[in-house]
Amino acid sequence: STTTTTTSTKAMADSSNTSMGSSTTPTPAPAVTTVDIARNLEDVRSRIATAVKSSSRDNDSNNDNDSVQLVAVSKTKPIEYLLDAYHQGNQRVFGENYVQELIGKAEEMKDLDGIVWHFIGPLQSNKANALVKKVVPNASKLCIETVATQKLANKLNNAMEELNNANANSDDKDKDKKQLLDIFVQVNTSGEDTKSGVAPSMVSELCESIMTTCPHLYLRGLMTIGAPGDTGCFDTLRQCRDELLSSDAVVAGAAGGDGGGGVEGEKRKFELSMGMSGDFEEAIARGATNVRVGSTVFGARDYSNK
């Protein structure tokens, strides 16, 4: 296939962030990418819209492209690719697998509006604190999709509590606004030893525990990777979600009384993060609300530095 070359330029920092005495911010030289990222994003969004329309979903509100969020998985990709996706492809939600890589990219892109980072790789509990405290202040939102233990949830909750306390003691105009860290609970729907995640039979118990003990976290839903070619994994995740929706803790969360972040009088919803480049259309047909697409957007990955 033909490869199209596109160029992208790092966004100029907001004038309010320029150094004292400097009237202008120099524009860096264009960075050249060898993938037509904007076109790839357009194609993926079109495929998402088609998949939504052709599937039987729970309600009419799912019959539009906005109902399925595209997480552009940018792990191992240079910052120029993300900037191209942001400026030329209007992409705001990115997925990363490695803590230090995400921290670095968040720092480089902190002056861009609307950036949402999804961490989708294995997260050791001893790295949770650094991830939260170095990314949350540099982004519109951080979401951790790979929570599979109460220990990790506690670490994330503690980090957010400390961050909120620090903000409360600052001069920030929004210091009284408590931030919640979005999380997904990862489920091992395939039963493979090589896959991370809580067993389907333990999902409700873990989610209920997190919702009642971690007031600085907001449980958005469930996530799975699944086995290649096994669409039954998607059905399993949906079944886990349905069971969770009937649990007592979720009913309590819908009333806004716990760490689930529920709003009184509002029905609690849980998202499903499932589906990647090779199977996201099948995942959408089975109820996915978030799909994680990487190589189809950014091209094949280079792991030589990982």
Side-chain angles (χ1 to χ4, degrees):
S1 59
T2 304
T3 299
T4 306
T5 300
T6 64
T7 61
S8 64
T9 305
K10 288 190 175 183
M12 293 177 62
D14 186 270
S15 59
S16 62
N17 294 323
T18 56
S19 58
M20 294 294 291
S22 174
S23 59
T24 60
T25 301
T27 303
V32 178
T33 67
T34 57
V35 179
D36 194 338
I37 294 170
R39 181 172 181 177
N40 289 347
L41 283 167
E42 183 179 350
D43 289 345
V44 170
R45 290 173 185 143
S46 177
R47 289 171 62 186
I48 288 174
T50 299
V52 168
K53 290 177 181 178
S54 62
S55 63
S56 57
R57 307 204 25 126
D58 288 337
N59 52 65
D60 292 338
S61 66
N62 285 316
N63 291 328
D64 59 73
N65 195 23
D66 291 336
S67 68
V68 175
Q69 178 174 261
L70 169 61
V71 179
V73 180
S74 46
K75 62 179 180 180
T76 78
K77 294 301 180 182
I79 199 71
E80 290 79 15
Y81 280 58
L82 284 75
L83 293 171
D84 207 10
Y86 182 93
H87 292 294
Q88 309 301 325
N90 198 33
Q91 182 66 24
R92 298 294 183 266
V93 184
F94 297 92
E96 292 287 339
N97 283 58
Y98 308 107
V99 172
Q100 291 305 317
E101 183 177 0
L102 174 49
I103 289 173
K105 286 177 175 176
E107 173 65 27
E108 289 197 67
M109 297 177 70
K110 65 182 180 181
D111 293 324
L112 301 180
D113 291 335
I115 295 289
V116 177
W117 297 103
H118 282 231
F119 187 80
I120 59 175
L123 179 60
Q124 297 175 358
S125 58
N126 62 354
K127 294 184 178 181
N129 188 66
L131 181 61
V132 168
K133 292 181 179 177
K134 293 183 179 181
V135 175
V136 171
N138 289 334
S140 290
K141 180 73 74 172
L142 171 64
C143 177
I144 310 295
E145 291 206 23
T146 50
V147 177
T149 65
Q150 183 68 51
K151 179 181 178 180
L152 179 56
N154 291 341
K155 291 284 187 179
L156 294 169
N157 185 72
N158 292 342
M160 278 305 299
E161 181 177 17
E162 292 172 4
L163 195 60
N164 281 322
N165 289 341
N167 289 339
N169 294 324
S170 71
D171 294 328
D172 193 299
K173 63 179 180 180
D174 295 324
K175 65 180 182 178
D176 294 328
K177 184 178 180 181
K178 173 185 170 183
Q179 295 186 75
L180 296 178
L181 177 68
D182 286 359
I183 68 165
F184 283 74
V185 163
Q186 182 175 1
V187 184
N188 185 348
T189 54
S190 66
E192 298 171 280
D193 293 337
T194 56
K195 296 288 173 61
S196 300
V198 64
S201 62
M202 300 299 292
V203 169
S204 290
E205 180 179 338
L206 177 59
C207 289
E208 290 175 16
S209 178
I210 291 172
M211 292 178 68
T212 54
T213 64
C214 298
H216 297 272
L217 305 182
Y218 178 67
L219 180 59
R220 278 180 55 179
L222 306 178
M223 174 270 209
T224 195
I225 295 175
D230 184 2
T231 56
C233 292
F234 302 148
D235 296 326
T236 298
L237 192 70
R238 182 166 179 163
Q239 290 168 5
C240 290
R241 190 272 315 271
D242 292 345
E243 291 174 7
L244 184 58
L245 283 171
S246 64
S247 72
D248 292 339
V250 172
V251 173
D258 71 319
V263 178
E264 187 172 1
E266 216 176 76
K267 184 179 179 181
R268 187 74 161 86
K269 295 181 179 180
F270 287 98
E271 300 177 40
L272 295 177
S273 175
M274 57 188 192
M276 298 183 284
S277 287
D279 57 12
F280 69 85
E281 286 148 318
E282 288 286 347
I284 290 171
R286 287 164 169 78
T289 60
N290 294 261
V291 293
R292 310 178 304 273
V293 181
S295 57
T296 303
V297 172
F298 294 108
R301 298 187 184 97
D302 178 9
Y303 291 99
S304 59
N305 294 322
K306 295 298 174 187

